[in-house]
Amino acid sequence: MNIIKLEEESKRNLLELLLKRSPSQYGTYTDTVNEIVENVRKNGDAALFAYTERFDGCIVAKENVLVTEEEIDAAYGQVDEELLGVIRKALVNIRAFHEKQRRYSWFDSSEEGILLGQKFTPLSKVGVYVPGSKAVYPSSVLMNIVPAKVAGVREIVMTTPPDRDGKLNPAVLVAAKEAGVDRIYKAGGAQAIASLAFGTESIPKVDKIVGPGNIFVALAKKAVFGFVSIDSIAGPSEILVLADETANPRYVAADLLSQAEHDEMASAILVTTSESLARKVNQEIDGFLQQLPRREIIEKSLDSYGYILLADNLEEAISAANDIASEHLEIMTKDAFTVMTKIRNAGAIFIGEHSCEPLGDYFAGPNHVLPTNGTAKFFSPLGVDDFVKKSSIISYSREALEPIHEDIIRFAAQEGLTAHGNAVKVRFE
């Protein structure tokens, strides 16, 4: 990995480099994606099925686009019993964590006849997109479906691309069934996003689309935003480890590589106050690379987006971590909990040397759908709140309105909205 001194210029250059990984930077694909979206919007199933044959190499039609219970039952027979047990254990933790995020409607009233409040209503229908090309992620299936179920979403539909034989990954099907999905469709890419956004003869229109995907999926979600809600425009995965001289270099190296293996554009950064640790981490990385099957992907990731930043002191290191606002942030310092209190920007924070990032990916319970590309400065992890909407409740009696009605009329007059003022005035004529 590149070892550089942490200075304002080096930090600025790194931030610019990381931002180039954002899907928003890939405008060359925009026209292609927009054409796909518009075609599906106009022609529904016909366009969807044609694109499935073109991009996925298999024939899907109205008769087989919906996954049957028989196909799901067959998937259970193909999934290892131990893996099924792990999925069910993870589900318990994920569900328990998200249950604590439940929000309830509230109302405040006064003796004057004023009632104010907020009403929480689950979304009616949500679409979950699951990728199916380079890698298969049943863990992401759980992370996207469970908070929607906890929120009380009435119907959850999932789309995922089929293989050339028209089949879906068994682990993905089993994870979706265990999490509580209602319907699963064989559809992938930008065409699946468009189908969920506008509806086709086979796939229902949803209120919100969530789930990761490649650049075409990301740009399609961007294109349909406004017609439906979306979770975010997710970029490549990233990790930042904040460490001092007390950190175990072998643990640090292993955790950096755990994200670098995702794809060539993943980012792995170590910010440390110890030059000795930096060099030991690089040595450990070289050793791990001799063993890991995804070596080629990891090496490309580290060559392009792998950095070790040497800070003069811990405060400078913390400041850099907040500026980078990483998706995953691990803290391996002498007083990790105190450092955590100074972190303002991170998708998920892992505290201590045994709280490795894969713990969050698979098992601990917090959601692993996290803000990327610096958006942790203003976005949060996927959660129950993403699947509910809020309505304000306002109720005034005549006695409560009377003493303030002239104030409202005066405010409306200042804005030139006389009909607003009249709506209050007529109640006291």
Side-chain angles (χ1 to χ4, degrees):
M1 291 176 70
N2 308 294
I3 301 178
I4 60 175
K5 182 79 172 65
L6 178 57
E7 297 171 338
E8 280 303 315
E9 183 178 1
S10 61
K11 183 170 67 176
R12 184 170 59 252
N13 291 340
L14 176 58
L15 290 172
E16 289 178 0
L17 176 68
L18 295 177
L19 284 174
K20 289 178 181 178
R21 299 154 58 249
S22 167
S24 299
Q25 299 293 323
Y26 290 81
T28 51
Y29 300 108
T30 301
D31 289 344
T32 300
V33 169
N34 287 344
E35 181 182 330
I36 293 171
V37 169
E38 190 59 28
N39 192 7
V40 173
R41 183 182 184 182
K42 288 180 177 177
N43 298 304
D45 275 354
L48 171 64
F49 300 152
Y51 285 126
T52 301
E53 182 176 3
R54 175 178 167 187
F55 297 131
D56 299 311
C58 73
I59 304 295
V60 171
K62 193 174 182 65
E63 295 74 31
N64 68 342
V65 67
L66 176 65
V67 174
T68 64
E69 287 298 322
E70 289 75 20
E71 288 176 289
I72 295 174
D73 290 341
Y76 272 88
Q78 299 173 59
V79 171
D80 181 80
E81 282 294 327
E82 290 187 1
L83 175 59
L84 179 57
V86 171
I87 287 173
R88 287 172 174 169
K89 287 179 184 177
L91 266 172
V92 170
N93 295 339
I94 297 166
R95 192 176 290 117
F97 182 86
H98 288 86
E99 287 281 357
K100 292 180 173 63
Q101 297 179 357
R102 279 182 179 273
R103 302 282 293 275
Y104 298 94
S105 300
W106 59 268
F107 303 93
D108 279 342
S109 59
S110 71
E111 293 181 358
E112 293 81 13
I114 300 173
L115 185 144
L116 300 174
Q118 201 167 50
K119 181 177 181 291
F120 288 84
T121 308
L123 301 182
S124 294
K125 195 172 293 184
V126 166
V128 175
Y129 183 84
V130 177
S133 52
K134 284 186 180 180
V136 176
Y137 300 113
S139 60
S140 286
V141 175
L142 306 183
M143 294 293 182
N144 281 279
I145 293 177
V146 169
K149 290 293 289 187
V150 171
V153 173
R154 291 182 183 177
E155 186 175 5
I156 302 171
V157 300
M158 187 179 98
T159 66
T160 187
D163 63 18
R164 291 187 175 276
D165 296 322
K167 298 184 182 301
L168 302 180
N169 182 272
V172 165
L173 289 180
V174 167
K177 182 67 174 180
E178 291 289 321
V181 76
D182 294 295
R183 287 190 268 174
I184 305 171
Y185 293 92
K186 300 171 184 176
Q191 60 273 21
I193 300 300
S195 298
L196 291 169
F198 302 111
T200 72
E201 295 89 332
S202 298
I203 297 179
K205 172 179 168 52
V206 300
D207 302 313
K208 184 166 189 171
I209 302 170
V210 300
N214 62 17
I215 185 62
F216 295 98
V217 170
L219 291 175
K221 287 169 74 175
K222 186 177 180 181
V224 301
F225 177 64
F227 297 99
V228 292
S229 179
I230 62 172
D231 50 355
S232 64
I233 309 294
S237 188
E238 55 201 31
I239 186 171
L240 187 149
V241 179
L242 183 58
D244 61 15
E245 70 283 355
T246 66
N248 184 317
R250 190 166 176 80
Y251 295 172
V252 173
D255 293 358
L256 291 169
L257 297 181
S258 72
Q259 293 307 291
E261 77 168 344
H262 269 292
D263 62 60
E264 295 88 345
M265 296 184 71
S267 166
I269 298 171
L270 167 62
V271 183
T272 181
T273 53
S274 170
E275 185 172 352
S276 173
L277 176 73
R279 302 203 180 282
K280 289 177 182 176
V281 167
N282 255 346
Q283 291 171 5
E284 293 288 352
I285 286 174
D286 289 341
F288 281 128
L289 284 175
Q290 306 307 314
Q291 312 165 23
L292 296 170
R294 293 171 71 87
R295 175 177 178 173
E296 186 177 344
I297 292 174
I298 294 172
E299 286 182 331
K300 288 181 179 178
S301 167
L302 295 183
D303 287 344
S304 300
Y305 304 106
Y307 284 88
I308 298 177
L309 305 179
L310 291 176
D312 287 334
N313 54 64
L314 193 55
E315 291 303 317
E316 186 179 70
I318 292 170
S319 176
N322 280 321
D323 287 339
I324 294 170
S326 185
E327 177 188 18
H328 306 99
L329 171 65
E330 292 188 359
I331 303 174
M332 297 192 199
T333 61
K334 190 182 303 180
D335 193 354
F337 278 91
T338 298
V339 172
M340 179 272 293
T341 64
K342 299 177 181 179
I343 296 298
R344 300 189 309 276
N345 306 321
I349 304 172
F350 300 79
I351 305 170
E353 64 177 14
H354 295 296
S355 304
C356 56
E357 189 279 336
L359 178 66
D361 269 355
Y362 298 113
F363 213 77
N367 209 290
H368 78 201
V369 181
L370 303 166
T372 58
N373 280 110
T375 60
K377 292 178 180 176
F378 45 84
F379 278 143
S380 304
L382 190 73
V384 173
D385 274 356
D386 290 288
F387 299 99
V388 298
K389 54 193 178 70
K390 293 162 280 205
S391 301
S392 300
I393 302 297
I394 303 167
S395 176
Y396 269 60
S397 67
R398 190 180 194 283
E399 291 72 24
L401 182 61
E402 196 278 332
I404 62 167
H405 80 280
E406 290 185 358
D407 293 333
I408 300 170
I409 293 170
R410 192 170 292 111
F411 219 145
Q414 193 279 328
E415 295 187 349
L417 299 175
T418 53
H420 278 62
N422 187 60
V424 177
K425 181 181 176 182
V426 295
R427 285 165 166 79
F428 296 95
E429 289 176 342

